[in-house]
Amino acid sequence: MREFDLIEWIARHNLEKPQGLLTGIGDDCAVFDPAFARRLAVTTDSLVEDVHFRRRWTSPELLGRKALAVNLSDLNAVGARPHAALLSLCLPGETSDEWIHRLLKGFLGASRMWRCPLIGGNLAGASQVQITVTAWGWLPRGEAVLRSGGREGDLLAVAGTLGLARRGLSLLREEDPDLSTVADEEELLQGRGNTLRGRCWTAYSRPEPPLQAGPWLQNGGLARCMIDLSDGLCADLGHLLSSSGLSAVLEERAL
């Protein structure tokens, strides 16, 4: 597929527009007026083939969804609501049209569900698949919740279940299953007859960031500091404590 054909395909299938957008897909830049928001938050993240994923272990639909999810999780960690995203795709020349369409189907489906429209991006050739997303979020009032806001005596809490995604990656490495055609969550959850395996696979391949939690905590002033927990409890807690100049006591029973 030629580059301009793919851009036209994306424009036809991407019907949502964010508030304040003046110029979107089809020009050199996306232009929008941010006057509707008091604060804007911006993040970017990449998924690189054979570093962050293997095509054998995930369907392109779930990969496209995950590419947006990991960025929105960062916005969530400062209390921002999703607003818009840019998508940069680097693709090997032999990548099939079907695989690209399925990837974009997953991405655009997630953008509609999480109300974070695609407003532009870039396409380029590469030796392996690289997916980079830049996402904007907004804070209706108040300040962003940063890593540095912790105070002595604060309660440490986690949203979600720890360890499932890490175990999912371990199982994929141990068993090397072909999940490239599994685009449905229910089929993934079945785990080929093992529900726990399915939960772990799903946590890794189809992460579900708690996108209501961050803005709720920020808007209510209920959290002084937050962090996206994607590298493991101890690693990310270390970043939080370093920024806030604190130490922490973990209650093992609470885990």
Side-chain angles (χ1 to χ4, degrees):
M1 177 178 291
R2 293 182 300 127
E3 177 181 357
F4 298 122
D5 292 335
L6 184 53
I7 293 173
E8 183 181 346
W9 187 95
I10 294 172
R12 288 201 313 269
H13 290 78
N14 181 51
L15 302 179
E16 290 197 32
K17 301 292 185 289
Q19 185 178 356
L21 183 69
L22 304 178
T23 302
I25 295 174
D27 220 304
D28 290 301
C29 290
V31 180
F32 63 93
D33 180 0
F36 68 93
R38 185 174 184 274
R39 291 284 189 274
L40 285 176
V42 184
T43 187
T44 188
D45 209 339
S46 297
L47 298 179
V48 180
E49 186 175 7
D50 295 330
V51 177
H52 301 106
F53 70 92
R54 294 184 186 178
R55 289 200 230 181
R56 177 178 171 82
W57 292 348
T58 184
S59 67
E61 290 91 344
L62 293 182
L63 182 61
R65 183 186 188 280
K66 184 174 183 177
L68 184 58
V70 298
N71 282 271
L72 299 192
S73 185
D74 284 336
L75 293 179
N76 184 56
V78 299
R81 299 181 184 277
H83 183 63
L86 298 174
L87 173 64
S88 177
L89 286 177
C90 295
L91 301 167
E94 69 275 7
T95 309
S96 70
D97 291 358
E98 179 190 5
W99 193 91
I100 298 171
H101 284 156
R102 291 172 62 194
L103 176 80
L104 291 169
K105 178 182 176 182
F107 185 94
L108 294 175
S111 77
R112 287 190 291 271
M113 179 178 66
W114 288 321
R115 305 184 73 175
C116 186
L118 179 64
I119 60 173
N122 184 58
L123 295 167
S127 59
Q128 58 188 3
V129 176
Q130 300 179 47
I131 308 167
T132 300
V133 175
T134 299
W136 282 264
W138 59 279
L139 296 107
R141 64 180 183 178
E143 302 294 332
V145 184
L146 306 179
R147 300 178 183 183
S148 56
R151 298 291 182 268
E152 184 176 354
D154 283 352
L155 174 69
L156 181 67
V158 173
T161 303
L162 296 172
L164 288 180
R166 181 63 181 85
R167 181 56 181 151
L169 177 59
S170 296
L171 288 168
L172 291 172
R173 286 172 172 167
E174 293 167 9
E175 302 174 3
D176 192 28
D178 185 355
L179 303 177
S180 60
T181 62
V182 180
D184 180 73
E185 180 187 8
E186 289 303 318
E187 186 178 352
L188 194 65
L189 278 169
Q190 289 173 6
R192 296 181 177 171
N194 185 310
T195 304
L196 179 57
R197 178 197 284 128
R199 288 181 63 205
C200 294
W201 281 353
T202 302
Y204 178 75
S205 299
R206 194 183 183 279
E208 195 73 40
L211 298 184
Q212 300 300 320
W216 178 73
L217 291 166
Q218 182 272 341
N219 190 47
L222 301 175
R224 275 197 280 257
C225 63
M226 295 194 293
I227 191 171
D228 168 55
L229 205 166
S230 57
D231 293 325
L233 175 62
C234 291
D236 286 323
L237 177 58
H239 299 315
L240 200 69
L241 299 177
S242 177
S243 296
S244 291
L246 299 172
S247 58
V249 177
L250 298 180
E251 297 181 15
E252 185 178 357
R253 290 179 300 173
L255 299 178

